[in-house]
């Protein structure tokens, strides 16, 4: 009797394999479209479904915060998330995959920027509708996007260049205060600076200039510590950059012209969701191109073996200084956005706690990876907010999770993975 073989591998015959095959042919466009349907459902039916399920209101962060406050609500929250998010996203993404694959196939015939802009527009629509449910969601989303910028900029130094820098809170402070002083001085009537020097109506149009100047101020700060630090090797950069962070914080605390330890307020609320989203996309795109450029590859060579890179005619010192200033620029821009989101800048926000947060995001997500930085920043931001009801226990659980990640995945969740936009946007076929 002739023996027959199943075309399905043993791995594909398991439950995990069947789920993988079920979702294998869905392009990114399909997932975004499914998410768009889910957030529209929640926007229009969320309150009614919450009332039917006996919930006080629509769960803010997928029910996690609510469950931690009232564990007995776990079944109701799971039912809400399943009916609003899991089932609609899965069904829409799966059954529209032939259509979304055809659309993705048509889009790749054009310059890939066209496809990228369409995907980003749909993604922004998802963010906008999801965050329109509550002010808390909007604030969390903005801070998560800014965290992506900060994490990426530190990963350029600690991951791609292989140095260990502790100065990012200082760069954030320089960017936050630099941009804030410009916007408050020129466009806002304030008790510290008096009447505005320019008509406030033109302020929103010049806001990007203020952010860029804040970023350049952070780059100047990076140059100040790069010159002495990169004359040496080893752990000296970590020590000098840590000292730089405390110097900047102490300097701002003693500058009464910017409010001293009380902080600087009156920033206009020009960091809308669209503004933060556009700057985050620019940051991801530019940093991703930078790390794939000749200079970025030179930074990788310096990380792997500085002596060998020097022998191969790589100007290692110039590479370090330029890379460090480039990373500081984006940290400064992120600091400016942050100050205009919370409409306040205080030196206490740019200390050792901020450094610990950013380092945790970088090493959780993964070194040498743009995707890892995004995952680490968003994951830590959402996790930090979701565990807020636990109070002091939150600061026990999060470090324990980090320890477990470092034990089982020492380089982070998604390390050393290239962020190829063309590969992400292309249509998918069933495996």
């Amino acid at each position: 009797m002739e023996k027959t073989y199943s075309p399905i591998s043993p791995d594909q015959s398991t439950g995990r394999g069947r789920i993988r095959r079920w979702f294998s042919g869905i392009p990114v466009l399909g997932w975004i479209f499914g998410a768009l349907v889910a957030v529209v459902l929640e926007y229009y039916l969320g309150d009614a479904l919450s009332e039917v399920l006996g919930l006080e209101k629509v769960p803010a962060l997928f029910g996690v915060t609510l469950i931690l406050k009232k564990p007995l609500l776990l079944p109701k929250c799971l039912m809400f998330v399943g009916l609003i998010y899991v089932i609609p996203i899965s069904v829409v993404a799966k059954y529209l995959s032939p259509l979304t694959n055809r659309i993705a196939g048509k889009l790749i015939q054009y310059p890939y920027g066209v496809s990228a802009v369409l995907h980003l527009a749909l993604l922004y629509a998802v963010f906008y509708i999801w965050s329109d449910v509550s002010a808390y969601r909007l604030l969390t989303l903005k801070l998560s996007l800014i965290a992506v910028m900060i994490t990426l900029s530190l990963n350029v130094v600690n991951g791609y260049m292989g140095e260990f820098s502790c100065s990012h809170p200082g760069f954030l402070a320089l960017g936050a205060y630099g941009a804030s002083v410009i916007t408050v001085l020129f466009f806002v009537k304030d008790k510290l600076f008096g009447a505005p020097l320019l008509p406030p109506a033109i302020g929103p149009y010049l806001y990007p200039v203020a952010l860029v100047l804040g970023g350049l101020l952070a780059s100047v700060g990076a140059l100040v510590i790069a010159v002495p630090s990169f004359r040496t090797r080893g752990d000296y950069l970590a020590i000098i950059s840590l000292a730089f962070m405390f110097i900047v914080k102490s300097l701002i605390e003693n500058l009464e012209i910017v409010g001293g330890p009380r902080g600087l307020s009156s920033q206009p609320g020009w960091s809308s969701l669209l503004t933060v989203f556009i700057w985050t996309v620019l940051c991801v795109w530019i940093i991703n191109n930078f790390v794939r450029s000749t200079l970025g590859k030179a930074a990788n060579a310096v990380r792997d073996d500085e002596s060998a890179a020097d022998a191969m005619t790589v100007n290692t010192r110039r590479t370090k200084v330029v890379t460090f200033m480039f990373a500081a620029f984006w940290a400064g821009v992120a600091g400016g956005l942050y100050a205009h989101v919370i409409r306040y800048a205080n030196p206490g926000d740019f200390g050792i706690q901020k450094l610990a947060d950013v380092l945790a995001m970088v090493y959780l997500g993964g070194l040498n990876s743009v995707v890892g930085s995004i995952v680490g920043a968003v994951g830590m931001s959402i996790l930090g907010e979701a565990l807020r009801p636990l109070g002091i226990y939150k600061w026990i659980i999060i470090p324990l999770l980090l320890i477990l990640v470092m034990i089982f995945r020492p380089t982070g969740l998604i390390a050393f993975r290239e962020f190829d936009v063309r590969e992400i946007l292309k249509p998918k076929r069933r495996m």
Side-chain angles (χ1 to χ4, degrees):
M1 181 177 179
E2 186 179 357
K3 192 174 182 179
T4 60
Y5 296 91
S6 170
I8 301 175
S9 67
D11 178 63
Q12 291 177 324
S13 64
T14 64
R16 185 178 176 182
R18 284 194 290 270
I19 293 175
R20 184 178 297 175
R21 282 192 293 116
W22 172 264
F23 292 117
S24 62
I26 302 174
V28 171
L29 185 63
W31 288 113
I32 297 178
F33 196 72
L36 183 61
V37 171
V39 294
V40 169
L41 277 176
E42 184 187 44
Y43 188 83
Y44 287 106
L45 303 176
D47 289 328
L49 182 60
S50 300
E51 188 175 347
V52 170
L53 293 175
L55 299 172
E56 295 178 357
K57 57 183 179 180
V58 174
L61 295 176
F62 310 106
V64 178
T65 308
L66 201 55
I67 292 169
L68 292 176
K69 289 179 180 176
K70 299 177 180 178
L72 293 178
L73 293 179
L74 174 63
K76 296 179 179 178
C77 289
L78 289 179
M79 192 174 294
F80 183 92
V81 172
L83 291 174
I84 290 293
Y85 290 105
V86 178
I87 294 176
I89 291 176
S90 303
V91 171
V92 171
K94 175 62 182 176
Y95 288 102
L96 287 186
S97 61
L99 175 63
T100 50
N101 266 314
R102 282 199 296 273
I103 295 174
K106 294 285 185 184
L107 288 174
I108 61 171
Q109 298 175 7
Y110 298 95
Y112 88 98
V114 175
S115 179
V117 169
L118 178 63
H119 281 77
L120 288 171
L122 286 173
L123 183 61
Y124 175 74
V126 172
F127 286 166
Y128 180 82
I129 297 172
W130 182 80
S131 63
D132 199 39
V133 173
S134 70
Y136 176 68
R137 277 190 180 183
L138 179 61
L139 178 63
T140 303
L141 181 56
K142 286 181 182 178
L143 295 181
S144 298
L145 292 174
I146 292 172
V148 170
M149 297 178 64
I150 300 169
T151 308
L152 266 174
S153 64
L154 183 59
N155 207 346
V156 170
V157 179
N158 288 27
Y160 287 94
M161 197 167 70
E163 300 285 349
F164 191 84
S165 171
C166 300
S167 53
H168 258 55
F171 299 148
L172 286 170
L174 290 175
Y177 273 87
S180 297
V181 167
I182 293 170
T183 54
V184 175
L185 176 64
F186 285 97
F187 307 112
V188 177
K189 183 180 180 181
D190 180 70
K191 60 183 179 182
L192 284 176
F193 299 111
L197 300 179
L198 292 174
I202 64 173
Y205 303 102
L206 296 179
Y207 180 48
V209 177
L211 293 175
V212 170
L213 291 176
L216 292 176
L217 181 61
S219 292
V220 172
L223 181 63
V224 169
I225 59 173
V227 171
S229 302
F230 293 139
R231 288 179 180 273
T232 61
R233 296 185 180 183
D235 299 328
Y236 292 100
L237 176 63
I239 298 169
I240 295 174
S241 60
L242 190 63
F244 173 80
M245 180 191 73
F246 285 115
I247 290 171
V248 170
K249 182 172 178 289
S250 178
L251 180 66
I252 294 173
E253 285 175 340
N254 289 281
L255 277 177
E256 284 298 327
I257 193 172
V258 292
R262 297 181 302 280
L264 178 62
S265 58
S266 302
Q267 286 89 338
W270 292 336
S271 285
S272 63
L273 179 60
L274 180 60
T275 302
V276 176
F277 181 78
I278 290 174
W279 278 100
T280 305
V281 170
L282 281 175
C283 176
V284 172
W285 180 61
I286 293 175
I287 288 182
N288 189 51
N289 285 335
F290 175 82
V291 299
R292 300 170 74 180
S293 68
T294 303
L295 189 59
K297 291 174 181 174
N300 276 338
V302 170
R303 177 202 61 204
D304 294 337
D305 192 326
E306 186 172 344
S307 299
D310 193 39
M312 295 298 291
T313 71
V314 174
N315 189 333
T316 56
R317 191 176 170 200
R318 175 178 172 273
T319 300
K320 284 182 176 181
V321 172
V322 172
T323 304
F324 198 53
M325 293 177 66
F326 173 76
F329 171 80
W330 285 109
V333 173
L337 288 168
Y338 174 78
H340 288 79
V341 166
I342 62 173
R343 306 184 70 174
Y344 183 62
N346 186 284
D349 292 340
F350 307 107
I352 199 75
Q353 178 65 50
K354 178 62 72 177
L355 174 63
D357 290 344
V358 181
L359 286 174
M361 292 175 186
V362 171
Y363 288 93
L364 174 70
L367 294 171
N368 244 62
S369 171
V370 173
V371 182
S373 294
I374 296 172
V375 170
V378 174
M380 285 295 295
S381 299
I382 299 296
L383 184 64
E385 285 300 321
L387 297 181
R388 188 180 290 276
L390 296 180
I392 189 68
Y393 298 105
K394 162 186 165 182
W395 300 113
I396 299 174
I397 295 174
I398 291 178
L400 284 176
L401 289 175
L402 286 174
I403 291 171
L404 291 175
V405 171
M406 291 300 104
I407 291 174
F408 294 105
R409 294 187 70 89
T411 56
L413 296 176
I414 308 173
F416 295 91
R417 181 172 296 183
E418 190 175 358
F419 186 60
D420 190 342
V421 178
R422 296 175 190 271
E423 184 67 22
I424 292 172
L425 299 182
K426 75 177 187 181
K428 303 292 187 298
R429 292 183 173 84
R430 183 183 291 276
M431 296 172 61

